């Protein structure tokens, strides 16, 4: 029987959605059956054997839909392998990656019952011209980390696909034989 995986994501401006799609495609190439859905469209996890959950960080917090997903589906999520990713860093500097890792760790600590088989951070994308309220206002504040920041895209597609491929083995070893 094929392992059926749900890739559930939250995204404000589409960059996390594109990463989720690349992960879903890579899992399909690795012989998984995969559904790709925004978190809001996920009603039940009954038909899945494993889950990938992805969401961006905003103002040091993981997207609220990721919190809701973990709360709503707690019972099922404790019975299956779960892999997690977050988008965030906009500067390729070691210090920023460390900070973002700490942000995600802090968010996941709010759900101590979850034991992800993997929890990864990928670089984010920023297009200042496309920001909507309140992000466009936040970007104008001199104290904001994205103040005057030019457009950037730190998503490393090779790393994203490699991570998705590595999930095949992690899911298999976490599932009952
Ligand atoms: C207003 C704003 C605040 C942000 N705050 C953070 C943050 O606290 N930590 C972080 O790692 N990334 C932060 N980011 C970067 C986003 O996580 C990144 O742009 C991501 O790719 C957005 O994903 P989306 O296009 O799926 O919404 C912020 C971006 C904006 C526009």
């Amino acid at each position: 029987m094929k392992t059926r995986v749900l890739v559930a994501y939250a995204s404000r401006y589409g960059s996390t959605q594109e990463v989720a799609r690349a992960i879903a495609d890579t899992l399909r190439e690795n012989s998984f059956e995969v559904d790709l859905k925004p978190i809001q469209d996920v009603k039940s996890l009954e038909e899945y054997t494993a889950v990938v959950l992805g969401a961006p960080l905003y103002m040091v917090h993981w997207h609220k839909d990721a919190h809701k997903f973990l709360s709503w589906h707690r019972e099922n999520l404790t019975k299956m392998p779960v892999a997690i990713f977050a988008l965030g860093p906009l500067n390729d500097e070691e210090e920023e990656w460390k900070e973002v890792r700490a942000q995600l760790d802090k968010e996941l600590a709010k759900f101590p019952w979850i034991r992800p088989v993997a929890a990864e951070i990928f670089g984010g994308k920023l297009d200042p011209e496309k920001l909507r309220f309140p992000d466009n206002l936040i970007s104008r504040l001199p104290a904001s980390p994205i103040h005057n920041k030019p457009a950037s895209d730190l998503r490393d597609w090779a790393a994203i696909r490699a991570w998705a491929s590595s999930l095949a083995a992690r899911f298999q070893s976490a599932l009952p034989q």
Side-chain angles (χ1 to χ4, degrees), residues 53-75:
L53 169 64
L57 287 149
Y58 277 99
M59 307 309 287
V60 305
H61 293 295
W62 213 18
H63 194 294
K64 67 176 177 2
D65 286 0
H67 287 258
K68 284 185 190 165
F69 184 87
L70 290 176
S71 302
W72 286 337
H73 301 292
R74 175 174 176 163
E75 200 184 327

Side-chain angles (χ1 to χ4, degrees), residues 88-101 121 123-124 145 149 154:
L90 296 171
N91 298 294
D92 205 3
E93 289 161 11
E94 202 183 333
E95 205 45 46
E96 179 157 335
W97 284 82
K98 271 195 208 154
E99 271 172 34
V100 178
R101 166 60 65 182
I121 289 163
K149 220 187 138 358
L154 276 194

